[in-house]
Amino acid sequence: MISVIVPTRDRPGPLHRALRSLARQTYRHFEVIVARDGGMPVEQVIARWQREMPITLLDGDTPHGVSHARNRALAVAQGENVALLDDDVFLPHHLQAADDALRTGRADTVYGQALVSPTWIEDLPRGTHGLPRKDYPFDATFLGVANTIHTGSIVARNPAASPVRFDETLQHCEDWDFLLALHHTAGHRFARLDSITSVYHQVPRPGAVTSAYRTSPTPFTLARNTLYLRWPAVGDLAEEYRQWFRDFDQRLDARIALGLPAPAHVYEHAVRGLHATFTAHRPPDHALLDRLLPHGLVSWTERPEAGIPLKGAVHAAR
């Protein structure tokens, strides 16, 4: 059986869509655990789907964060495998494909390829050209540089017998830390599925990601620094790529400090470019960094509130 863990807070629409995607699964031997981390009640949303599948609600009025919510669900999960689902959707074959792969015994954590969509969708559009994807083959060393795996694409052996849980002190990149812990601490073998099995929504709206890109240094910068200290780089090349990301964070933080928006999908474009050179055993491409986040010069006219001219060189203060 697969236990599907769904944390939620003040997201009735995405919760409804997530549960609807579960009701459409071809694989039926699963349970759903919804962990409400404060916010508005969700009983009415769950009642709509209660007859379609077994749903357990872990209700909580006080917000403690998504890691706490997921850990509460892990503590009661009955499945030998667990799947993670947040504001996104599983395509109908997701759980079946994961179960088939895990049954071979060659992997302990599997993940499908994910389409990154800027709008709410519940099926693959006819044309996916131009939309980013998280479809990287597993590379344990590169995972120590950047997270290439979408949280909502993961199905893993239940880690109940191991010390691995979500770090409740992390508000960002906690999923990345969890993957590293599964691999390095629990010894999980990872494998990628051969098809797109989920949709990762990056919709322009107030939310964890967009809110994080409004402060400098961003919470992602701080979390990445924490994880780099916690999980040492494997080899000199991985350390070079980590330094590339430190430079990336510094430039992005400087941009945000000026009130400029983060370029759309900038992280995905960075990972895509770096993964290609890393797998070819080449040094990181600094020209890519200059294309994504030009160094030093920012025109004052780019600034949303153009009352204060900011001509000339701009450097991040660290």
Side-chain angles (χ1 to χ4, degrees):
M1 183 172 73
I2 297 175
S3 297
V4 183
I5 293 172
V6 187
T8 188
R9 183 203 301 170
D10 288 332
R11 311 289 295 153
L15 175 61
H16 176 75
R17 283 186 285 266
L19 294 177
R20 179 160 56 202
S21 78
L22 288 172
R24 297 168 58 195
Q25 291 299 298
T26 57
Y27 177 91
R28 303 306 303 173
H29 192 42
F30 66 88
E31 65 169 351
V32 184
I33 306 171
V34 176
R36 183 173 76 92
D37 185 45
M40 64 181 63
V42 296
E43 286 87 349
Q44 289 187 346
V45 178
I46 290 175
R48 166 64 181 81
W49 299 105
Q50 195 79 58
R51 294 183 180 180
E52 302 283 340
M53 53 200 164
I55 304 177
T56 298
L57 172 62
L58 303 180
D59 223 4
D61 291 326
T62 303
H64 293 286
V66 67
S67 292
H68 179 80
R70 291 187 184 127
N71 285 340
R72 288 179 66 205
L74 282 171
V76 301
Q78 298 298 305
E80 57 268 30
N81 302 314
V82 295
L84 304 176
L85 179 60
D86 292 350
D87 287 351
D88 303 305
V89 297
F90 291 164
L91 298 179
H93 65 295
H94 174 73
L95 293 181
Q96 185 64 66
D99 183 71
D100 290 344
L102 288 168
R103 283 181 181 276
T104 68
R106 293 193 291 269
D108 307 291
T109 294
V110 298
Y111 60 97
Q113 301 172 44
L115 185 73
V116 182
S117 176
T119 59
W120 292 110
I121 60 175
E122 297 185 51
D123 293 293
L124 289 182
R126 290 185 178 179
T128 60
H129 180 71
L131 290 178
R133 299 182 183 186
K134 283 186 174 285
D135 58 359
Y136 304 93
F138 182 68
D139 186 317
T141 305
F142 191 76
L143 188 64
V145 174
N147 188 9
T148 55
I149 303 174
H150 170 47
T151 311
S153 69
I154 299 163
V155 182
R157 304 284 187 205
N158 192 327
S162 79
V164 174
R165 298 293 184 272
F166 285 91
D167 183 344
E168 297 183 20
T169 69
L170 291 174
Q171 299 303 314
H172 294 80
C173 300
E174 77 292 331
D175 50 348
W176 182 17
D177 180 71
F178 182 72
L179 293 173
L180 290 167
L182 283 178
H183 181 67
H184 292 292
T185 304
H188 277 210
R189 299 159 299 163
F190 280 61
R192 187 198 66 176
L193 303 178
D194 292 332
S195 61
I196 296 175
T197 66
S198 65
V199 177
Y200 173 28
H201 291 110
Q202 285 193 348
V203 180
R205 55 174 170 75
V209 175
T210 53
S211 297
Y213 282 138
R214 292 175 180 170
T215 60
S216 178
T218 73
F220 293 114
T221 295
L222 300 176
R224 195 173 353 259
N225 288 340
T226 297
L227 266 61
Y228 282 177
L229 289 172
R230 179 175 298 172
W231 305 103
V234 180
D236 293 340
L237 186 62
E239 183 54 42
E240 286 185 53
Y241 275 76
R242 284 187 171 191
Q243 185 56 51
W244 189 101
F245 257 113
R246 293 185 187 102
D247 295 340
F248 171 93
D249 286 335
Q250 187 176 49
R251 293 191 190 188
L252 184 57
D253 288 342
R255 180 183 178 91
I256 292 170
L258 293 174
L260 299 172
H265 302 302
V266 66
Y267 176 78
E268 284 78 12
H269 292 312
V271 174
R272 180 67 60 183
L274 288 188
H275 186 267
T277 53
F278 186 87
T279 55
H281 305 288
R282 300 201 304 267
D285 184 1
H286 293 284
L288 171 66
L289 183 58
D290 290 333
R291 290 194 299 273
L292 294 176
L293 297 167
H295 181 64
L297 297 177
V298 177
S299 168
W300 73 273
T301 57
E302 287 186 87
R303 184 167 178 162
E305 57 280 0
I308 303 174
L310 295 169
K311 297 179 182 178
V314 176
H315 299 282
R318 287 280 174 162

